[in-house]
Amino acid sequence: MSWLNIFYHPLWVFSTLLLSFVVRLQRRGPWDPRACTVRLNGKTAIVTGANTGIGKFIALDFARRGARVILACRSEARGTAAVKEIREKTKNDDVHLRLVDLSSLESVREFAKRIIEEEKALHILVNNAAVSGLPRQITKDGFDISFATNHLGPFLLTNLLLDLIKQSAPARIVTLASVNHKKGKVDFSHFQGENLVYHMDKVYNHTKLHNVICTNELARRLQGTGVTANSVHPGIVMTEVLRYYPLYVRFIFNLIGSCFFKSAEEGAVSSIYCAVAEEMEGVTGKYIDSDCSMVLPAPLARDTALAVKDFEVSERLTSKL
Ligand SMILES: *[C@@H]1O[C@H](CO)[C@@H](O)[C@H](O)[C@H]1NC(C)=O
């Protein structure tokens, strides 16, 4: 007999079972990509930041469905490794790496130019790449690095590829936002790194709000073209988005996260749903939650006048460079 006996108490067993049940329940997805039989043969898809985390699982899913998949990554070494892994797992050799640094408008332009030259069509664009918790830094274009990587870079990329996407209709644009957008604010001076309080995820939250706003405005502009644009919340996911945080933050997050948060594979589901599910055909300008349900985004993301302005400001800032 010792204090260890308390672990054999029925109440302890019961609460453990209850906890694991709750964990399983909140993880269960209503839509299973493996049960979805949609094929993507003859289709081309681009996934940004596809060398790791959610992006890699999205690219893997597309490759399984027979698509030509382009991984748009910044790191050649990590990108090459991901291409190799996806080819091996799916037996689809039509998986390729194209380098892009979304924080640099010049790099985005070069990337888009090459895609337009090389690709006959583009049916799916997934704007997945994002950074969080980066230290304050201004890019050579004069933008805050988080805004450049999470908003202005993907914004420019999408616009430069838009003609190719329209020619390939029906086509889908999926942008990974986050529930964090609800805590974001719109201040156009943020783009240049002004009035930004660098507090943990604050900057990330602002950038995710711009993602939802501009995706909605893009959807409005694309009415009648056969191209849809939606934003998604992947869920609270364990990914390397945290890699710039101090070690102790990552440690705590990982510890709690391994019990309660989604894996990167689970986090990829809502994006895959938007990109391939038959139910999403023709659906546009929506915000899709991590359980694949359509929900309303924050009030700021539903303000049409603000959306027009945000889109125009972003257009102006990205076009002059
Ligand atoms: C960012 O958003 C998350 C999720 O809504 C929230 O928990 C967090 O407090 C926000 N951060 C800041 C600094 O507003």
Side-chain angles (χ1 to χ4, degrees):
M1 289 291 144
S2 77
W3 59 271
L4 269 171
N5 278 351
I6 61 160
F7 289 108
Y8 300 113
H9 194 279
L11 202 63
W12 182 254
V13 177
F14 176 74
S15 31
T16 310
L17 283 176
L18 189 71
L19 186 70
S20 67
F21 176 71
V22 171
V23 168
R24 285 182 68 108
L25 198 72
Q26 64 103 29
R27 276 186 164 196
R28 197 190 50 183
W31 185 81
D32 180 5
R34 286 179 185 261
C36 166
T37 57
V38 171
R39 296 290 307 168
L40 295 176
N41 300 78
K43 307 267 186 198
T44 302
I46 294 180
V47 183
T48 67
N51 59 305
T52 183
I54 298 175
K56 190 161 82 180
F57 283 103
I58 298 172
L60 189 72
D61 179 278
F62 294 169
R64 261 197 201 110
R65 295 178 198 277
R68 171 176 170 78
V69 187
I70 294 161
L71 279 61
C73 307
R74 196 179 44 171
S75 153
E76 178 149 28
R78 304 209 312 159
T80 307
V83 166
K84 187 164 170 277
E85 185 190 329
I86 294 172
R87 282 184 182 176
E88 273 166 12
K89 281 190 175 152
T90 62
K91 308 277 178 276
N92 178 348
D93 281 336
D94 206 3
V95 179
H96 310 273
L97 173 69
R98 296 288 177 269
L99 295 179
V100 64
D101 175 1
L102 288 163
S103 74
S104 154
L105 298 186
E106 188 191 354
S107 171
V108 170
R109 286 185 191 289
E110 274 166 19
F111 172 86
K113 187 164 170 271
R114 182 166 177 199
I115 294 295
I116 292 164
E117 276 166 11
E118 292 179 348
E119 304 301 327
K120 290 185 285 292
L122 180 56
H123 306 90
I124 299 173
L125 169 63
V126 180
N127 289 309
N128 156 73
V131 291
S132 172
L134 275 189
R136 192 187 295 268
Q137 194 187 323
I138 297 294
T139 67
K140 68 178 182 342
D141 301 320
F143 299 120
D144 173 82
I145 192 159
S146 303
F147 277 86
T149 311
N150 295 6
H151 169 55
L152 295 169
F155 177 88
L156 177 64
L157 178 70
T158 306
N159 281 305
L160 292 175
L161 296 176
L162 213 49
D163 282 338
L164 182 64
I165 298 174
K166 282 186 197 163
Q167 286 159 27
S168 318
R172 304 185 188 187
I173 299 166
V174 179
T175 298
L176 276 84
S178 166
V179 68
N180 285 32
H181 83 273
K182 295 187 177 178
K183 291 277 154 88
K185 298 263 179 310
V186 174
D187 177 340
F188 297 115
S189 74
H190 281 165
F191 293 170
Q192 276 96 1
E194 288 154 32
N195 303 313
L196 272 175
V197 180
Y198 270 77
H199 168 265
M200 291 286 284
D201 47 11
K202 205 165 201 152
V203 176
Y204 179 77
N205 294 2
H206 297 321
T207 63
K208 292 290 122 182
L209 176 60
H210 287 284
N211 288 156
V212 183
I213 292 176
C214 285
T215 305
N216 288 346
E217 175 59 14
L218 179 67
R220 204 182 59 79
R221 292 176 177 224
L222 286 171
Q223 288 288 349
T225 60
V227 181
T228 64
N230 296 292
S231 44
V232 305
H233 171 47
I236 311 288
V237 175
M238 310 286 302
T239 72
E240 294 179 50
V241 107
L242 281 170
R243 69 174 162 255
Y244 299 104
Y245 284 107
L247 193 64
Y248 75 93
V249 176
R250 278 182 286 152
F251 178 77
I252 296 167
F253 198 81
N254 280 313
L255 198 69
I256 306 169
S258 52
C259 303
F260 291 101
F261 299 151
K262 295 185 176 216
S263 65
E265 185 170 12
E266 291 164 325
V269 171
S270 53
S271 304
I272 298 168
Y273 174 77
C274 274
V276 309
E278 276 159 352
E279 300 95 294
M280 285 300 288
E281 199 177 310
V283 176
T284 192
K286 302 290 183 226
Y287 174 70
I288 308 296
D289 207 350
S290 57
D291 64 359
C292 301
S293 64
M294 230 174 264
V295 291
L296 281 179
L300 278 175
R302 287 181 267 142
D303 180 335
T304 322
L306 182 67
V308 171
K309 176 129 194 252
D310 196 5
F311 204 95
E312 281 171 6
V313 171
S314 304
E315 235 173 2
R316 185 158 42 78
L317 290 176
T318 53
S319 66
K320 72 176 178 205
L321 292 152

